[in-house]
Amino acid sequence: MIKAILIFNNHGKPRLSKFYEHYTEDTEQQIIRETFHLVSKRDENVCNFLEGGMLIGGSDYKLIYRHYATLYFVFCVDSSESELGILDLIQVFVETLDKCFENVCELDLIFHVDKVHNILAEMVMGGMVLETNMNEIITQVDAQNKMEKSEVNQDLTYSLFYLPV
Amino acid sequence: MSDVVEKTLTALPSLLSLDSQPGSAKLSSTSKLGNLIRGITELTSKHEEEKLIQRELTSIKDQVSSPNTSMRQMKELMVRAIYCEMLGYEASFSYIHAIKLAQQGSVLDKRVGYLAVSLFLNESHELLLLLVNTVLKDLQSTNLIEVCMALTVVSQMFPKDMIPAILPLVEDKLNHPKEIIRRKAVLALYKFYLIAPNQVQHIHNKFRKALCDKDPGVMTASLHIYLQLIKENSEGYKDLTASFVTILKQVVGGKLPMDFNYHSVPAPWLQIQLLRILSLLGKNDQSTSEIMYEVLDESLRRAEMNHNITYAILYECVKCIYTIQPKSELLEKAAKCIGNFVLSPKINLKYLGLKALTYVVQQDPKLALQHQMTIIECLDHPDLIIKRETLELLFRITNGQNVTVIVEKMLDFLRISKDDYTTIDLVGKVAELAEKYPFETMNTVFSLGGDMMQPDIPNSFLKLLSEGFDSDEEDRKLRLFAVDSYVSLLQSEPNKLPQRFLQVISWVLGEYSHLSAELEPATVMTLLSKLLDLKHTSSETKSWVLMAMTKLCEGGVAISVAQDIYETHSSSMDTVLRQRAQELQHLSQDSELRGRVLPRDAGLMPLEVDSSLSFLDGFVSEALAAGAAPYKPPHQRQEELAQAKALSLEPYSLSLPISMSSCSIADRQSPTLMSMSSGLSGDSTDLSHKGGSTTLKLDGVKRVWGREGYLAQREPVEETAQVEVPSPLRSPSQQAEADSTQSQTPTPTVTPELEQDKQQLASSLFVGLGSQSSVCLMGKSDPTPQRFRRKAQGRASSSGASEKTPTSLGSTPSPVDNLLCNSLLDSNLVSEPTNQTPQASQSLDTTNGNCHEELTDVKENNPSLIHNNEEPDKPKDLCLSSHLPTELSGLSHSEITPLCSNQSVNLSACHVQKEDSLQLVIFIFNSSDSALQQMQLQVDSGELKVNYCLSLITDSPVEEVRSHSVAVCHYSVTVKRPSVHVEVLGMLSYQLPGGTPQTIQFSHKLPLTTFIRPLTLSTEEYGSMWLAFSQDTKQNLTLINDDQDPLTTTLNVLKKKLQLHVVEIIGVEGIVACQLVQDQPCLMHCRVHAGTLAVWLRSPVPDLPDCLLYHCQRALQEH
């Protein structure tokens, strides 16, 4: 099971944090800081797995991370997940983001936190991997976006309707 | 694809700074979130950020509670609140509004509402109850998206008690025509199963239906449930094995739609999941395992493309093959596969390879042997994670023969590891090994820790050994094993062992060597007597050895050995040794007496300690009647001496250090103990009390009636004396210490040698793993002696290597030291040539008469020197102090004292107290007209650890000090062994142009007080430390009686003069703490008693309490 998904930039600023298990607000912040601390001091040519921070639950848990330019994507998982499998899942996630935002960048993640969460919700649900197929994820997200557009239009007509002529 | 991502992300910083660029135009630069984020990026400090966010939160708060806010605005506000919460700022006021948004908004608003709720709340939050109705409504909605959202939020968090309310609805969704809904429903039910397993008992049939769903996605989702169920109870699902195998076969065979391919691998995640389930099912079950052999083989065969994800499948496959009932053909393939992982240049695969090895090594240790060289390489891998994984692997293959090397490696890693988690984990493992292989591990710890170890460790080890474990038979075996291993150690190379270890060995041999049937006492005696002849054996160790011999001397040969020993040692300068030799002599003659004095296994019997020494009463009263003077404890004698100043000649007034150096510890400690034990011993621990009182008794015996006639009564004394915390006299032990440090230094990195080292390491690590491996090793018929022999060889080779570089830690400086030293000497900050002002020479006069004479000599012989360099009157002291190394110049330094001088050089020194060390600065002033060349300064000390510090900028040629200028050497010193004054010895060698080499020697005394620093701790910490320390001393000190609160005044004087830290004062008692630089604590308990200050000092460091006491006494006298 996936316990938490964290995205932060090279300076440790959180860009997305999603916990699938309950922690207090303070612990969550501490986990983010500790994770950043652990991950950021690792070289580029070392393995992408880290074992057990104290906070997140000891020896059964692993941090699996990937570093893309300015962002770190970290998945915290327990022993029932495959390390290499999660590593590729991160890749799928990033590729999906890239497709949805048409060349994703850190700013997209900042300004569209809600969209990123929605994409993530199509991949991982309650800590379980729901879907690993990028096209399928995009189909789901697109379906929702279409709805959004239609709603925006509706909104406009609505307001136009009441505009004084 | 990832290239594109990276490129885009690299372009980010420019985007962030310029919002007018098109890239950020789409990011609604005018939005309020945009403003907030822009504001945050511009901030520099955390404090400013806090202020800005608080302002933002206040404005959000105002807006959300305003009735005019539309749902669309509310949505935007929620996103901003999410952002603030992510940064760690609480926005609890918005929670209720998030729920409202989810309840009332349109589909789109609802989505943000649900998202906010799932990020803000947890399953036990009370507000969540308000959401239940909304979820119920949405689950029944005809809009698919609403249903999906409800299922998502339910699987994220849902109050346990409310599950029954929505369970039927979620169950219904399993029959929903849309597969995405079915899939999410399965996962939601799985979540319910995790939270409240009994609630979903009745729908297990529906899970089966989900497993057989026509949509592979739904089937995949149901595997989550089955993995969990089978983990809990594999027996109940054996019937499904065939189904899982069929599914896997179809997946591997590419029967799934192309959509499920990832990098042209069919549904890799699904395969991984299935393999895990199969391994759980096939574990310990031959018939089930047989069903899956074929498909496993197929998986291994198919997964041969070189993509990351295929390795993931291979890894699971290998693990599965090793988990289920073995099939040799498959095992072979799997082993090859593991080999590919381990040897892979890709670090992730290497990591997994090590993990796989760790997993399989217990079943197939040969596999580890095949890869031993790779494992050795991984042990030195720069990636700590790899290193740790390797240690984990080694931990699994630990056996009696390699445990020493492995524990050594673990301890090495512990030394560099800074991560708490790793440390805890590893320490646990070392402890576990210590439990499994107590002797091997403790041997390593003793050999490595050597004499730096706290004396408590060997003591408690011996205590453990004598008290034994649960069963007698176990104890016997353990002790026998200890005896055997120690005998073989002594037979090989006893001179390499640290003193403390030798002491442990002697005790064990003395006490338990009779357990070994084939071991003649005479053999042991001979072995032990060899120890006595070793050059570096300290007298403390010797007395342990003699005591052991006393217990052993039995039979003809042994007695003659004892006789020899007696002859050599009966004239020893050391009184303790002399006494032991006497005892040995007497008891070896009279075996009956020996039987009574030293009964076998006496250590097991509880000892009655009569600390009041009442059994002596008769003797004392007899002696008193015969006219003997009543006994006075030393502090009383001292006080009397101090009061009777007329008699007290200067050198004896501070009698403590003198008695310390001249008397044996016994004499010094016992009376004080006796005088204090009645009042204070209540709070001491068992162990220390025992130790204390044994010393006490032994010494009492010796002091009062050290005559042969009374020996019979000494029975309890001798037994307990074995546990005695021994005397700290051990100058030769330093050599041993140096030896052990030497052997730890890594061998030079010459490639062939390195290779050899690795081979050697490999052979010691993998010994005992495979029976017929060619690399390994030295046979296996007789493991114990070999272990030690091998170890000794390793030592020999490494110390041999360090011998090649002739200079080491000894007095001859190594090339490196030389280099540093030279560059220091040459720093030669050309000072204004110093002239001898009257003031300076006077100060020289007062401190060092010789020096003065020589200086005046210089003046007279060479007046031109001084006149030539006429300078404004400036004291030399000031002048020299300007040469202090820059990093010390800001700190206050002690008076600059002259050390020595001759016609051409003046040496002076001063010290600077830093928090963690003492900095010693030596000034070399060249008073001659020509430059000093080839100058070398050596500084050494028995009590101190001297480190060279590079501190000055060099601006002159090497090894040279120009005429009339000053060179400065800077050392950082810490105390190795406390004593009242520590002495630094030094020698400067130099050459004048055209002259012969000259040397000049000096010594410099530093009072121990310069190394004392306050130790700040709380009363609780003090309490726990107090119990842990074994070295203690008690004494009465004079109380300063000029105030209504004498205790506080006295302690404040001590605080001021000695930099002690006063922890707390309650009534007539006070506790004080200090430390010797580099963490050697000393605790002091003071109590006003009958007009004096009764102090009790404790420390883990031998001698420290005594020395400190001396300085306290002195400080109070001077006051």
Side-chain angles (χ1 to χ4, degrees), chain A residues 22 51 88 106 131 133 144, chain B residues 12 111 183 259 308 351:
Chain A
H22 172 56
E51 256 163 75
D88 270 72
E106 193 178 341
E131 179 61 77
N133 184 344
Q144 294 170 14
Chain B
L12 184 73
R111 190 161 68 158
R183 214 194 298 181
D259 287 353
N308 192 24
Y351 169 84

Side-chain angles (χ1 to χ4, degrees), chain B residues 683 1017-1028 1063 1071 1083:
Chain B
D683 28 340
L1017 35 71
S1018 69
T1019 309
E1020 291 75 42
E1021 287 163 341
Y1022 183 99
S1024 59
M1025 281 170 89
W1026 178 265
L1027 294 179
V1063 182
I1071 49 177
L1083 306 179

Side-chain angles (χ1 to χ4, degrees), chain B residues 197-217:
Chain B
N198 43 357
Q199 307 247 16
V200 286
Q201 284 296 342
H202 62 286
I203 46 172
H204 280 201
N205 272 336
K206 295 197 172 160
F207 291 156
R208 290 208 177 209
K209 221 180 127 201
L211 184 64
C212 306
D213 199 288
K214 62 179 187 296
D215 178 64

Side-chain angles (χ1 to χ4, degrees), chain A residues 13 19 22 29 42 46-48 51-52 59 79-80 85 88 106 110-111 129 131 133 144 151 155, chain B residues 4 12 34 37 49 72 86 88 106 111 122 155-156 183 224 259 262 269 276 308 348 351 383 389 421:
Chain A
K13 280 261 171 241
F19 290 86
H22 172 56
Q29 290 301 317
R42 294 186 53 81
V46 297
C47 65
N48 297 55
E51 256 163 75
S59 59
S79 60
S80 67
D88 270 72
E106 193 178 341
I110 300 172
F111 285 102
V129 180
E131 179 61 77
N133 184 344
Q144 294 170 14
E151 196 167 302
D155 234 27
Chain B
V4 182
L12 184 73
I37 290 159
E49 181 189 296
R72 272 193 76 189
M86 183 178 69
S106 66
R111 190 161 68 158
N122 62 69
S155 70
Q156 170 72 24
R183 214 194 298 181
H224 283 291
D259 287 353
Y262 174 75
W269 285 278
R276 289 195 165 211
N308 192 24
N348 285 338
Y351 169 84
D383 188 352
E389 205 50 51
Y421 173 76

